[in-house]
Amino acid sequence: MTEQVIAAIDGSQFAEGVCDYAAWASLALEAPLTLVHIVDNHAGAPEAQDLSGSLRFGAREKLMEELSALDEQRARVNREQGKLMLEAASARAVEGGVSAPTLRQLNGTLVETLVALEKEMRLLVVGKRGETDHQASGHLGAHLERMVREMHRPILMVPRAFKRPEQVLIAFDGSKTAKKGIEMLARSPLFVGVTCHVLIVGSYTAEHRSELAWALGTLRDAGHHVQGEVRAGEVDDVLQAYEQENAIDLLVMGAYGHSRIRHLLVGSTTTTMLRNSRIPVLILR
């Protein structure tokens, strides 16, 4: 089975960004694009109240029938809305240069359904927040946190508006799995022609300098333009400062290892960097 770029399309304000970044990745990776809309008929449904103590049997039976009919109507509306969203996303992707994206509408909960698609997936593209997540500024939905923990494919989390990446920052901790990430990026056609920055957050030690030299050399040998630094400080603060100073368009981080970068992603401070990021974040597993 050919691995695909899979984009999770919903009715949120991030849907256009998801579509545009997915089209870019599909073309760069020369991988088919599949646009997926997941219908979760229980998401956002009001909590049912137990009215059995205050209703006669006949009235209660009628109420349950009416609620069942409403559920069916809501499910039908959700499916129709999803089909319209997929058609609009497909037209946008074709406009972006993708030929014949596949459209799929699936029933189930978001994370479990996407996990079931992992074997077909080369890259998953999702919005920073989904349509059912809290819309307050800076909030990162629990769905994305669960994806980071449970999925084993790269996840590209994107903002609302697309900008073709030209300056990519790789947060590197020198671990064995982080080195595998560098080697994977070196081989990937996704970042051909862009400048790859490698940043180690930590003390300026001989070990860190050696690790940085290895990462830059690996990327350079693969034909990438590279630059990098070792900087001390708090991970999120250092990464954000480097992003601003170097006009970074996309951040690559790994949900691996045992460093402070791992704890940023899968520890108690998971949302800090992702929540504050105004650029796409590619999470490697």
Side-chain angles (χ1 to χ4, degrees):
M1 180 182 296
T2 303
E3 291 184 335
Q4 308 154 48
V5 173
I6 294 182
I9 301 296
D10 62 13
S12 74
Q13 56 196 331
F14 294 87
E16 290 185 354
V18 168
C19 187
D20 293 346
Y21 276 102
W24 162 75
S26 172
L27 293 170
L29 294 171
E30 297 183 346
L33 173 60
T34 296
L35 304 169
V36 174
H37 176 254
I38 298 169
V39 181
D40 182 355
N41 292 319
H42 299 289
E47 292 185 7
Q49 292 181 311
D50 182 6
L51 302 177
S52 56
S54 58
L55 290 172
R56 289 178 290 107
F57 177 76
R60 181 175 181 272
E61 187 178 55
K62 181 179 179 182
L63 175 60
M64 296 306 294
E65 290 175 355
E66 292 175 351
L67 288 174
S68 178
L70 285 173
D71 285 342
E72 291 177 7
Q73 182 180 13
R74 184 176 68 244
R76 186 169 60 252
V77 170
N78 287 343
R79 287 194 297 270
E80 291 305 314
Q81 287 180 332
K83 288 178 183 177
L84 292 174
M85 285 188 281
L86 285 173
E87 289 171 3
S90 178
R92 191 177 182 95
V94 169
E95 202 174 288
V98 177
S99 60
T102 300
L103 308 184
R104 296 179 68 178
Q105 188 174 64
L106 303 172
N107 292 303
T109 57
L110 180 67
V111 177
E112 286 78 4
T113 304
L114 291 174
V115 168
L117 294 174
E118 275 194 305
K119 290 182 179 179
E120 306 173 32
M121 193 182 292
R122 183 167 180 181
L123 173 69
L124 172 64
V125 184
V126 296
K128 183 178 176 182
R129 297 192 296 270
E131 62 184 327
T132 60
D133 288 324
H134 193 279
Q135 293 299 305
S137 177
H139 178 82
L140 180 69
H143 285 320
L144 186 56
E145 293 180 36
R146 285 190 59 206
M147 284 182 213
V148 171
R149 289 177 170 87
E150 296 183 26
M151 299 196 69
H152 298 87
R153 297 290 188 179
I155 302 172
L156 179 60
M157 182 200 77
V158 304
R160 302 178 199 178
F162 173 75
K163 182 182 184 301
R164 182 177 296 277
E166 297 175 355
Q167 305 285 332
V168 173
L169 172 59
I170 303 164
F172 183 62
D173 66 6
S175 66
K176 182 178 180 180
T177 46
K179 289 180 178 179
K180 287 182 180 179
I182 290 286
E183 291 169 343
M184 182 176 72
L185 291 174
R187 296 190 303 267
S188 174
L190 192 60
F191 299 135
V192 170
V194 306
T195 299
C196 293
H197 300 249
V198 180
L199 180 62
I200 295 178
V201 181
S203 303
Y204 192 70
T205 62
E207 181 181 9
H208 281 158
R209 292 196 300 273
S210 174
E211 290 168 347
L212 178 63
W214 176 87
L216 293 176
T218 301
L219 291 165
R220 188 184 295 113
D221 290 346
H224 294 282
H225 304 291
V226 297
Q227 62 186 77
E229 289 184 29
V230 177
R231 287 192 184 185
E234 293 298 321
V235 174
D236 52 338
D237 294 336
V238 171
L239 290 176
Q240 288 185 51
Y242 191 96
E243 282 179 22
Q244 294 171 3
E245 293 166 16
N246 294 276
I248 298 298
D249 302 310
L250 186 146
L251 172 64
V252 181
M253 301 182 75
Y256 45 50
H258 299 285
S259 68
R260 286 180 293 168
I261 289 178
R262 171 178 168 80
H263 289 296
L264 183 71
L265 279 172
V266 296
S268 60
T269 56
T270 297
T271 60
T272 303
M273 191 67 212
L274 300 181
R275 181 179 59 208
N276 293 332
S277 180
R278 297 183 181 277
I279 61 174
V281 181
L282 176 61
I283 303 166
L284 299 180
R285 298 306 304 263

